Amino acid sequence: MPRAGGVYSAPPGTAGSPNTTIESAKYNALVADLVTDANAARPVTAGGMGATTAVGGNDNLNAAGANMASAATVNLANATGAALTITGTVTITSFGVVAAGAERVLTFAAILTLTYNATSMILPGAANIVTAAGDVATMRSLGGGNWQCISYQRATTAPFNNVLTQPALTLEQSAAPVPTAEGRIQWDTDDNVIVVGDGAATQIFAPLPASAVAGDLLYLSASKVLTRLAKGTAAQVLNMNPGATAPAWGDRVTLGTPVSASGVAVDFTGIPATAKCITVSLSGISTNGTSPVMLQMGTAGGIENTGYNGSVGAIGGTAASLVLSDGLRFSPIATAAADSVHGVAVFNLIEAASNTWSMSWVGSVSNSNFASTAGGSKVLAGTLDRIRLTTQGGVNAFDAGKINILYC
């Protein structure tokens, strides 16, 4: 006979009576019934799998059960299937007592909280889980009312597609963070830099300027601010700017603009405070009188016309010498209006603290046919920033020739 609710019953009339002959028909019917039952799929309720194939049996053993409502304790021992849906939004703290090793696949229909417990409700991350509709958890009983979540699948997580997507990372933030713990990372909201503890101190990582390109140099314009210095051109050297506040590219030697000599004086101003050597070149300089031509140095306070030490001498047509006092003279004697001065004067800084400079001259005076040399020094009242071409006493005007300056 077919089983009723998984319970086998013998065919009617099978039971024998004492002192009564067993009828072969009834006996054979019982045997046939037992054979049929033995070869049929044994119901799950009778300890079988309810199927004649492995796949069918597995399906029957993992059949979906009826929904269960959320509660503080959802007793999974009462589940009608291994896979079920939990409805409602009540916080769950227990899944009841089920034999160790049993597993339940739970699908959540709404938002609720699974409350973490290190013994009875072991959850990933050792923290509560707030579910979302469609989330799936696989829970395994550890026995004694203790459960462990062995997997948790978010309904909103995309399937694996070879692209690792991480949630947005938000660093700790503070106006002046100074982490020292090894590996602790924080964001400095005042200076917009990342600071990282190295176990003893704080290391600072400043971002690159957005416009930085290959070949640029970076320097600190503030304690935590990287600033870009665009790459220079060929043969330029790195210097400090005039205010000594930032690096700047510059030429090894700065050449001025040639000037046609005229008036009673020609001034070259704006010589930077960083200049250590100055060369003045003259070609065909002449005046409308006989006063000797000379160079004088000056500072922001003006041209200085006293305190020059040294001498100048002439070789050739007229041999003579003269002690210097009012400037670097090119001739020890008066020159004719028709004379032309040619040559090079060099000024070198000896000591910056005292503004002491050396000076020298090598040149010639044409028409009068003599060469001249001079050498000496001068202590200025401040930092040199100008050179003047003039005549002794500034009494004669220039009427020809060119002059230029270069400094390094």
Side-chain angles (χ1 to χ4, degrees), residues 219-222 227 239-248:
Y219 67 93
L220 287 173
S221 56
T227 300
N239 299 308
M240 290 299 288
N241 64 10
T245 58

Side-chain angles (χ1 to χ4, degrees), residues 220-243:
L220 287 173
S221 56
S223 62
K224 299 177 184 178
V225 180
L226 283 176
T227 300
R228 168 186 178 247
L229 174 63
K231 63 181 179 180
T233 58
Q236 282 191 313
V237 295
L238 195 62
N239 299 308
M240 290 299 288
N241 64 10

Side-chain angles (χ1 to χ4, degrees), residues 46-62:
M49 297 190 301
T52 58
T53 66
V55 172
N58 183 71
D59 291 343
N60 289 336
L61 292 177
N62 292 281

Side-chain angles (χ1 to χ4, degrees), residues 139-164:
M139 304 298 300
R140 176 180 292 163
S141 173
L142 302 179
N146 300 322
W147 291 82
Q148 181 177 17
C149 179
I150 60 174
S151 74
Y152 195 94
Q153 176 65 48
R154 289 287 184 185
T156 56
T157 301
F160 184 68
N161 60 356
N162 293 328
V163 176
L164 182 62

Side-chain angles (χ1 to χ4, degrees), residues 6-266:
V7 177
Y8 176 80
S9 298
T14 300
S17 299
N19 302 314
T20 301
T21 301
I22 297 175
E23 299 179 27
S24 60
K26 292 181 179 180
Y27 173 79
N28 291 337
L30 173 61
V31 172
D33 194 64
L34 290 173
V35 170
T36 298
D37 182 74
N39 290 320
R42 187 171 296 275
V44 174
T45 55
M49 297 190 301
T52 58
T53 66
V55 172
N58 183 71
D59 291 343
N60 289 336
L61 292 177
N62 292 281
N67 294 353
M68 297 185 72
S70 59
T73 298
V74 177
N75 190 357
L76 295 181
N78 298 328
T80 58
L84 61 145
T85 295
I86 303 294
T87 62
T89 60
V90 179
T91 295
I92 299 174
T93 59
S94 171
F95 284 120
V97 179
V98 177
E103 293 184 1
R104 299 289 186 267
V105 178
L106 310 179
T107 299
F108 297 94
I111 298 173
L112 58 79
T113 299
L114 299 178
T115 303
Y116 168 77
N117 182 279
T119 301
S120 61
M121 185 72 80
I122 304 171
L123 301 175
N128 294 353
I129 294 178
V130 177
T131 69
D135 285 4
V136 178
T138 300
M139 304 298 300
R140 176 180 292 163
S141 173
L142 302 179
N146 300 322
W147 291 82
Q148 181 177 17
C149 179
I150 60 174
S151 74
Y152 195 94
Q153 176 65 48
R154 289 287 184 185
T156 56
T157 301
F160 184 68
N161 60 356
N162 293 328
V163 176
L164 182 62
T165 301
Q166 293 288 348
L169 175 65
T170 300
L171 300 178
E172 291 183 76
Q173 299 181 20
S174 152
V178 286
T180 57
E182 185 78 33
R184 186 180 179 186
I185 305 173
Q186 292 181 273
W187 177 253
D188 187 325
T189 56
D190 275 4
D191 296 302
N192 293 328
V193 297
I194 292 175
V195 289
V196 182
D198 66 3
T202 301
Q203 303 298 325
I204 299 172
F205 297 85
L208 291 175
S211 56
V213 297
D216 289 350
L217 293 181
L218 300 177
Y219 67 93
L220 287 173
S221 56
S223 62
K224 299 177 184 178
V225 180
L226 283 176
T227 300
R228 168 186 178 247
L229 174 63
K231 63 181 179 180
T233 58
Q236 282 191 313
V237 295
L238 195 62
N239 299 308
M240 290 299 288
N241 64 10
T245 58
W249 292 111
D251 296 325
R252 294 179 183 274
V253 176
T254 300
L255 178 65
T257 302
V259 175
S260 296
S262 62
V264 296
V266 177

